[in-house]
């Protein structure tokens, strides 16, 4: 009798742990739904695209509103997605037709799903329109897939490959400044790629790519970060990279860690 009770108790604990694990995994990865308090930045619709996003008015802007990123049929699942293949960015002219959220953010949790349609496809997700998390098929360097660009490479094995949906789940803490505007703490982020933690509480050193890349890119060669919030930006580089299910949850991270 005693052994039976112990067995039941043991099995109950196992079930509970599996349920907790299932809840945790359901909050990250492809198909993760926005939690309470989050905002759906893109849900696959034209209304969502034009309501929440605009062209980034950087020095190389060549596109004219309204946004020319096409709403297309999801090639894998039901529904629709948006393609980053804006004609103004043909030839890899980044900054010519990038789109950025109308709303700006400091600390946040972000979920982005993307699909690279063809080998070598290239785009990028910019945190605060400053710090690029690279999307680049075929490259596993610190300039390649899921890298905090030019600073921290990511394990390429986490990538699902061409023609399949992938997901970035990120927690980001903005840079901190003192009352005089001097930088006291660098921006930091933790990132999961398809449910695998690839960057744990990494500091980000600067904006890369110059003034055509993002906010502060032309300020002291990208090292002159300023105390301004920024939007979430998606890069157009003349490639057919699709996006869907993008949501953000504004946070106020009092402690220095971004781990989650």
């Amino acid at each position: 009798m005693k052994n039976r009770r112990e067995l039941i108790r043991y099995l109950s604990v196992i079930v509970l742990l599996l349920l907790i694990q299932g809840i945790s995994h359901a909050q990250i990865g492809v198909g993760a739904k926005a939690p309470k308090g989050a905002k759906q930045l893109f849900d696959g619709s034209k209304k969502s695209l034009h309501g929440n996003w605009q062209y980034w008015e950087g020095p190389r802007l060549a596109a004219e509103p309204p946004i020319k990123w096409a709403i297309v049929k999801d090639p894998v699942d039901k529904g629709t997605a948006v393609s980053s293949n804006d004609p103004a960015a043909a030839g890899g002219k980044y900054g010519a037709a990038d789109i950025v959220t109308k709303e700006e953010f400091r600390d946040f949790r972000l979920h982005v799903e993307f699909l690279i349609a063809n080998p070598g496809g290239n785009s990028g997700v910019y945190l605060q329109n400053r710090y690029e998390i690279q999307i680049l098929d075929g490259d596993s360097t610190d300039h390649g897939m899921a890298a905090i660009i030019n600073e921290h490479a990511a394990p390429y094995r986490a990538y699902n490959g061409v023609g399949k949906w992938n997901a970035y789940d990120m927690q980001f803490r903005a840079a901190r400044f003192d009352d005089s505007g001097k930088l006291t703490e660098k921006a930091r982020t933790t990132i999961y790629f398809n449910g695998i933690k690839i960057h744990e509480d990494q500091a980000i050193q600067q904006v890369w790519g110059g003034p055509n890349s993002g906010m502060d890119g032309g300020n002291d060669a990208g090292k002159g970060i300023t105390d301004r919030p920024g939007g979430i930006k998606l890069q157009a580089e003349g490639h057919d990279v699709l996006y869907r299910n993008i949501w953000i949850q504004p946070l106020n991270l009092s402690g220095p860690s971004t781990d989650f």
Side-chain angles (χ1 to χ4, degrees):
M1 194 72 171
K2 180 180 178 182
N3 290 339
R4 184 180 178 185
R5 285 198 300 269
E6 289 178 351
L7 177 61
I8 292 172
R9 188 181 300 114
Y10 173 78
L11 290 174
S12 298
V13 170
I14 294 297
V15 170
L16 180 59
L17 288 173
L18 288 172
L19 286 171
I20 291 171
Q21 186 181 35
I23 291 168
S24 175
H25 282 281
Q27 294 172 347
I28 61 174
V30 175
K33 295 182 179 180
K36 185 177 181 181
K39 179 177 181 178
Q40 195 80 38
L41 294 174
F42 181 66
D43 62 7
S45 69
K46 184 177 290 188
K47 180 180 179 180
S48 176
L49 175 65
H50 293 284
N52 295 321
W53 303 78
Q54 60 191 359
Y55 281 125
W56 174 51
E57 296 183 359
R60 194 188 267 176
L61 178 65
E64 295 183 358
I67 295 171
K68 304 301 189 298
W69 291 34
I71 301 295
V72 299
K73 184 179 179 181
D74 188 323
V76 176
D77 303 312
K78 294 179 180 179
T80 52
V82 66
S83 171
S84 66
N85 194 12
D86 191 300
K93 196 176 180 182
Y94 67 87
D98 298 350
I99 62 172
V100 65
T101 56
K102 295 176 182 179
E103 189 174 353
E104 296 181 326
F105 306 94
R106 291 191 183 274
D107 304 346
F108 52 80
R109 165 89 181 275
L110 176 67
H111 176 87
V112 178
E113 296 183 18
F114 66 90
L115 180 150
I116 298 177
N118 302 298
N122 191 358
S123 182
V125 179
Y126 283 72
L127 312 181
Q128 280 199 323
N129 193 8
R130 287 185 175 94
Y131 313 107
E132 183 182 4
I133 310 305
Q134 176 71 288
I135 294 174
L136 179 55
D137 176 70
D139 191 333
S140 60
T141 70
D142 65 3
H143 192 79
M145 179 62 73
I148 300 174
I149 200 161
N150 297 333
E151 296 186 21
H152 302 286
Y156 198 77
R157 61 181 172 79
Y159 173 43
N160 285 335
V162 171
K164 298 179 181 180
W165 284 105
N166 296 269
Y168 287 158
D169 287 280
M170 319 182 207
Q171 191 149 284
F172 173 83
R173 186 176 187 265
R176 293 321 201 237
F177 301 80
D178 64 19
D179 292 340
S180 69
K182 181 180 178 181
L183 178 70
T184 57
E185 297 178 59
K186 295 184 183 296
R188 310 187 71 87
T189 188
T190 293
I191 301 176
Y192 288 80
F193 187 16
N194 294 324
I196 298 172
K197 186 184 288 186
I198 57 169
H199 301 297
E200 183 173 333
D201 196 35
Q202 290 282 5
I204 308 177
Q205 302 304 312
Q206 67 173 84
V207 178
W208 296 90
N212 296 318
S213 182
M215 285 171 53
D216 297 330
N219 190 9
D220 190 20
K223 295 180 175 65
I225 305 301
T226 55
D227 190 12
R228 295 181 294 165
I232 305 305
K233 189 173 73 175
L234 306 178
Q235 190 179 61
E237 284 222 45
H239 294 262
D240 199 13
V241 177
L242 310 185
Y243 289 95
R244 71 177 189 186
N245 190 23
I246 304 174
W247 51 260
I248 193 166
Q249 183 179 23
L251 301 172
N252 183 13
L253 299 176
S254 56
S257 178
T258 60
D259 196 21
F260 71 108

